[in-house]
Amino acid sequence: MITELWKGLQRTLWDRPFKAGHLIHERYRIQEVLGMGSYGITYLALDRHTEEIIVLKQLRHTKAKTTAGLFSFQRESQILEALQHHPVPKLLNTFQDEQSHFIAMEWIKGETFEDLIFRDNQTYNEKETIAILLELLNITEHFHEKGIIHRDLRIPNIIQRDNKLIVIDFGLACYLLDKHEEIEDSNDHPEKLRMRAVKVESDLFALGHFALFLLYSSYVPQSKKELSWEEELEISLPFKSILRRMLQLDEPFHSAIDVQKALRSI
Ligand SMILES: Nc1ncnc2c1ncn2[C@@H]1O[C@H](COP(=O)(O)OP(=O)(O)OP(=O)(O)O)[C@@H](O)[C@H]1O
């Protein structure tokens, strides 16, 4: 309890974000804070060299002191670099100054599926959901071919720009060889643990959940009684059985290609 309080106090004191207008590395002018995650603080910034708006991620001071914090930050930039020709933000720069460690990356100016569903009330039927899933499975298969597991394929981390999908936030991504990453807090929710395991099936599980979010966007409750997704959603039996396998309720798929094949055969 005391440790948690102390950690919270440290974060408040040391991890205060930079204010708009602050210049970093004599190059990046902070515009606004986009988010404060567990490892990093993410900003929109103006790159004075290129005059472009970019995303700047700063490792929290409290995390910069830990090997795990530094390692995960370096790995994020390594993975972005390894995926340069894929629909992910381009890695623009990595640097360190007396303040902290930073990653500069392309700003993906589009809408996340979280925005589309909850802000814009966009709805998706089965056909549209399958089309989006197929595109995402294609992207995910390329990550897996390179031995990379994203581990956080959720609606806020998938952006639609000009009708194309782009995956962001590689903060939790890791290599299949990083087996030690599997050690997680045993208090974590079982669903979260399934998404975080260092294996291909974790991303397929996450995409199964992603599909449920899309399908629920067009769901109108019929009764006050809470039912399971299988009872509530009006979807075809073959699609239901594919989702059950993605969600590891039945024999799981072991590759994105197998899920694509199954979806194409509906
Ligand atoms: N390259 C990018 N282009 C556009 N928006 C981005 C980009 N990277 C991050 N964002 C947005 O910035 C915000 C913060 O991103 P960040 O990666 O820090 O995630 P987070 O959810 O706040 O933290 P965590 O690291 O715990 O996942 C999110 O709203 C995300 O949509």
Side-chain angles (χ1 to χ4, degrees):
M1 177 70 174
I2 302 253
T3 335
E4 283 312 307
L5 278 175
W6 173 238
K7 277 188 188 164
L9 186 64
Q10 271 189 320
R11 272 206 287 266
T12 320
L13 290 175
W14 295 103
D15 290 335
R16 260 177 300 185
F18 293 117
K19 295 211 164 69
H22 184 88
L23 187 66
I24 290 173
H25 207 51
E26 294 183 354
R27 176 166 179 181
Y28 302 103
R29 177 85 64 198
I30 299 295
Q31 308 287 299
E32 61 177 275
V33 177
L34 283 178
M36 295 186 58
S38 45
Y39 275 94
I41 305 175
T42 309
Y43 308 90
L44 268 192
L46 173 74
D47 180 349
R48 295 208 309 177
H49 288 190
T50 61
E51 292 295 316
E52 304 246 338
I53 299 285
I54 57 114
V55 165
L56 194 64
K57 211 161 175 178
Q58 175 197 6
L59 180 62
R60 283 175 180 270
H61 289 281
T62 40
K63 296 289 175 182
K65 293 197 190 85
T66 66
T67 326
L70 270 175
F71 179 75
S72 88
F73 206 64
Q74 280 158 359
R75 192 179 48 199
E76 181 170 354
S77 59
Q78 243 176 35
I79 287 181
L80 282 179
E81 192 166 22
L83 294 173
Q84 279 308 279
H85 303 294
H86 297 277
V88 306
K90 275 195 189 61
L91 176 70
L92 302 172
N93 195 5
T94 55
F95 59 93
Q96 182 186 350
D97 66 8
E98 56 289 348
Q99 316 255 25
S100 195
H101 297 254
F102 297 88
I103 301 176
M105 67 180 92
E106 179 191 5
W107 176 35
I108 306 296
K109 197 171 176 235
E111 322 290 333
T112 69
F113 276 87
E114 188 171 47
D115 294 337
L116 291 166
I117 295 172
F118 294 109
R119 187 195 63 196
D120 305 343
N121 298 319
Q122 181 84 249
T123 58
Y124 301 89
N125 61 25
E126 174 169 336
K127 200 167 158 230
E128 290 158 339
T129 303
I130 291 177
I132 291 168
L133 260 188
L134 283 169
E135 186 173 342
L136 277 176
L137 285 159
N138 216 14
I139 300 173
T140 312
E141 172 56 22
H142 291 301
F143 298 168
H144 296 170
E145 270 171 15
K146 291 187 179 287
I148 293 163
I149 311 294
H150 185 282
R151 299 205 302 165
D152 205 12
L153 292 170
R154 295 178 300 117
I155 50 169
N157 292 335
I158 298 166
I159 294 186
Q160 191 169 49
R161 184 179 68 180
D162 304 331
N163 266 327
K164 289 252 175 304
L165 304 183
I166 301 173
V167 176
I168 62 165
D169 196 355
F170 285 75
L172 289 172
C174 67
Y175 285 96
L176 273 167
L177 297 172
D178 293 337
K179 272 290 166 196
H180 58 276
E181 282 292 326
E182 279 199 11
I183 306 154
E184 291 280 342
D185 189 345
S186 55
N187 294 324
D188 274 350
H189 196 276
E191 277 176 9
K192 200 168 157 191
L193 287 177
R194 241 174 246 157
M195 254 170 81
R196 303 288 190 256
V198 183
K199 49 187 189 176
V200 161
E201 289 80 353
S202 308
D203 283 349
L204 306 180
F205 177 84
L207 289 180
H209 260 271
F210 175 88
L212 290 188
F213 267 100
L214 262 56
L215 293 164
Y216 264 105
S217 65
S218 49
Y219 171 70
V220 183
Q222 303 297 324
S223 77
K224 284 204 172 111
K225 210 167 111 205
E226 206 174 305
L227 301 167
S228 73
W229 64 269
E230 291 176 79
E231 294 164 307
E232 288 184 336
L233 295 174
E234 278 183 34
I235 48 176
S236 69
L237 272 179
F239 191 31
K240 212 174 260 184
S241 78
I242 292 172
L243 286 174
R244 282 189 62 85
R245 292 185 62 189
M246 292 178 81
L247 295 167
Q248 301 173 16
L249 297 168
D250 289 329
E251 171 60 24
F253 289 104
H254 300 296
S255 78
I257 290 182
D258 286 346
V259 188
Q260 283 181 311
K261 276 189 197 147
L263 286 172
R264 288 205 178 99
S265 70
I266 289 181

